[in-house]
Amino acid sequence: MDQAEQLRRLFMQRTGGREENKSGSGNLIKASQVCETAQTTQADSMEINSVQVDSMEQEETLKKAVKQSDVRSARVITVTSGKGGVGKSTTSVNLAIQFARMNKKVIILDADFGLANIEVMLGIRPKYSLADLMFRGKTLTEIITYGPENIGFISGGSGIQELTNLSKEQIGILTEGLAELDALADIIIVDTGAGISEAILEFVGASSEILLIATPEPTSITDAYALLKAINKKEDFSSLEHKIWMISNRVSTPKEGQDIYDKLNMVVERFLDIKLHYLGGVIQDPYVSRSIMKQTPISILYPDMKAAKGLKELAQKLTCEEEKETERLGGVAGLFGKLIKNRLKQKKNN
């Protein structure tokens, strides 16, 4: 079939097989429409192929960088909750302090978009954020801010939200930087926002180790279940690849903490394909509020108070569990690798 016949048939398909005027002017109109149709079809095809090639290149760049990071991966712990105001950031900061006292190198990634909880709690304002690494040429060491006990933290800024639009070069910069972060830290704590927004679900769903914070308030327990239910629905979630710990915060007694877990776990076991592990409880302590007001973690300001001791016990339990693990699961580069691949997949599907 010659090119003219191909164009004619293509045109007939686009016009539903309608016959055109056989006159000279009709033929001119018909020829013009055929050319426009062919050009449009070719342009559409080029655009689709360009998106596919670009996505393939991005994924290939990502795979290479993540593979390089597998040599030495940090332990990544993502801290989350079903609702705000349950002590998620307080837990993140104080666990980091306790890990540091066990001679662990710890870095906190503040992934609470638009808010600056970690820096406010530490009373330190960072100069740069993750966005400066990806878009403004800053190095990883430049965007890490160090606080008490030499714990480091990185502000996510708007960089995390812009993962979908990264170029091949930017993905390379990000993953190389994160691979370096894996080498700098033993433990990386990711402090997410509260709630069940898609951005938070992406982070939690990509994490291999999750700390879920809940309090005795009924709304906290129901929102924690809603978060677990939303995670369970994600295609890439597997109970075999994700370990979810639960912490009962602000409880009056250890028994109350255990009761909160038992209530939540009973529903989880019945309706969800999730294995929930109880890490322990933290006793309600007025010194927590005082330490927040003074922008100094309770583990430093009031180390002998109930909450500080409780957080120390949780850190010790997590350290013991780490020794039982036989392999790392990709570190922070692996975490962001999953995030980017998931967003590229969504982009192609849309």
Side-chain angles (χ1 to χ4, degrees):
M1 185 187 302
D2 60 19
Q3 188 176 11
E5 180 62 13
Q6 288 178 338
L7 291 175
R8 188 189 71 78
R9 292 194 177 186
L10 178 61
F11 172 74
M12 291 295 287
Q13 291 173 357
R14 286 291 184 98
T15 58
R18 296 188 301 273
E19 289 293 331
E20 295 294 328
N21 190 321
K22 303 296 187 206
S23 65
S25 59
N27 287 334
L28 287 174
I29 295 172
K30 179 177 176 180
S32 174
Q33 289 174 325
V34 170
C35 291
E36 288 177 3
T37 301
Q39 290 171 355
T40 301
T41 303
Q42 184 179 14
D44 290 344
S45 177
M46 290 175 63
E47 183 178 355
I48 292 170
N49 289 337
S50 176
V51 171
Q52 290 174 339
V53 170
D54 186 49
S55 296
M56 290 173 64
E57 289 180 347
Q58 287 176 325
E59 290 187 13
E60 188 61 32
T61 303
L62 194 58
K63 286 177 183 177
K64 289 179 181 178
V66 172
K67 187 176 181 180
Q68 291 173 356
S69 74
D70 286 343
V71 177
R72 200 280 186 190
S73 298
R75 181 184 186 184
V76 179
I77 302 173
T78 298
V79 183
T80 190
S81 63
K83 69 186 290 292
V86 299
K88 178 179 51 59
S89 296
T90 300
T91 301
S92 297
V93 169
N94 284 281
L95 283 178
I97 297 292
Q98 298 296 344
F99 283 135
R101 290 175 177 173
M102 298 176 197
N103 297 318
K104 303 287 186 182
K105 296 177 183 176
V106 189
I107 293 175
I108 304 173
L109 174 59
D110 191 349
D112 196 348
F113 313 128
L115 299 176
N117 291 340
I118 301 299
E119 59 190 79
V120 170
M121 288 187 169
L122 295 175
I124 303 171
R125 185 175 181 179
K127 191 174 181 180
Y128 302 114
S129 70
L130 186 64
D132 292 296
L133 171 70
M134 293 191 294
F135 309 116
R136 301 178 188 96
K138 297 300 177 182
T139 65
L140 179 72
T141 53
E142 287 179 308
I143 69 168
I144 300 175
T145 304
Y146 287 92
E149 305 282 345
N150 205 37
I151 62 170
F153 73 95
I154 298 174
S155 172
S158 61
I160 297 172
Q161 292 174 303
E162 297 168 354
L163 290 177
T164 307
N165 301 317
L166 296 185
S167 66
K168 178 183 175 182
E169 290 72 24
Q170 288 167 335
I171 287 179
I173 292 170
L174 175 62
T175 49
E176 286 174 12
L178 293 172
E180 186 182 348
L181 183 59
D182 273 328
L184 289 176
D186 298 308
I187 299 174
I188 297 168
I189 297 175
V190 181
D191 184 42
T192 70
I196 54 175
S197 69
E198 187 58 35
I200 292 171
L201 290 177
E202 281 185 329
F203 245 111
V204 176
S207 304
S208 58
E209 194 168 3
I210 301 159
L211 289 187
L212 176 66
I213 312 294
T215 67
E217 298 175 16
T219 52
S220 174
I221 300 171
T222 55
D223 287 349
Y225 176 75
L227 175 67
L228 293 173
K229 184 178 179 181
I231 297 171
N232 192 61
K233 289 181 179 179
K234 295 187 72 66
E235 291 182 5
D236 57 340
F237 177 82
S238 168
S239 59
L240 298 176
E241 297 178 0
H242 297 72
K243 190 156 192 175
I244 304 179
W245 300 99
M246 182 193 151
I247 295 175
S248 297
N249 196 25
R250 300 175 187 164
V251 295
S252 57
T253 64
K255 183 180 183 304
E256 184 181 33
Q258 183 68 51
D259 288 344
I260 293 171
Y261 166 76
D262 290 340
K263 290 177 184 177
L264 180 59
N265 191 51
M266 180 177 65
V267 183
V268 168
E269 286 186 338
R270 183 174 179 183
F271 297 106
L272 304 180
D273 183 23
I274 286 179
K275 179 70 175 176
L276 193 61
H277 306 269
Y278 186 53
L279 190 63
V282 179
I283 301 297
Q284 170 79 347
D285 192 334
Y287 284 92
V288 173
S289 298
R290 296 183 191 182
S291 68
I292 293 173
M293 292 296 293
K294 294 184 179 182
Q295 293 184 295
T296 305
I298 188 173
S299 296
I300 293 175
L301 197 59
Y302 306 111
D304 296 324
M305 294 298 103
K306 293 179 181 179
K309 289 181 177 180
L311 288 160
K312 180 179 180 179
E313 290 179 6
L314 297 183
Q316 290 172 337
K317 287 181 181 179
L318 286 169
T319 302
C320 291
E321 288 297 325
E322 179 186 20
E323 294 173 356
K324 295 177 185 177
E325 297 293 332
T326 56
E327 62 177 315
R328 300 282 193 180
L329 295 175
V332 73
L335 169 67
F336 273 81
K338 291 179 183 177
L339 279 174
I340 296 172
K341 283 191 283 187
N342 288 341
R343 294 199 179 187
L344 287 174
K345 187 188 298 182
Q346 292 174 6
K347 192 174 182 179
K348 284 190 286 187
N349 291 339
N350 293 335

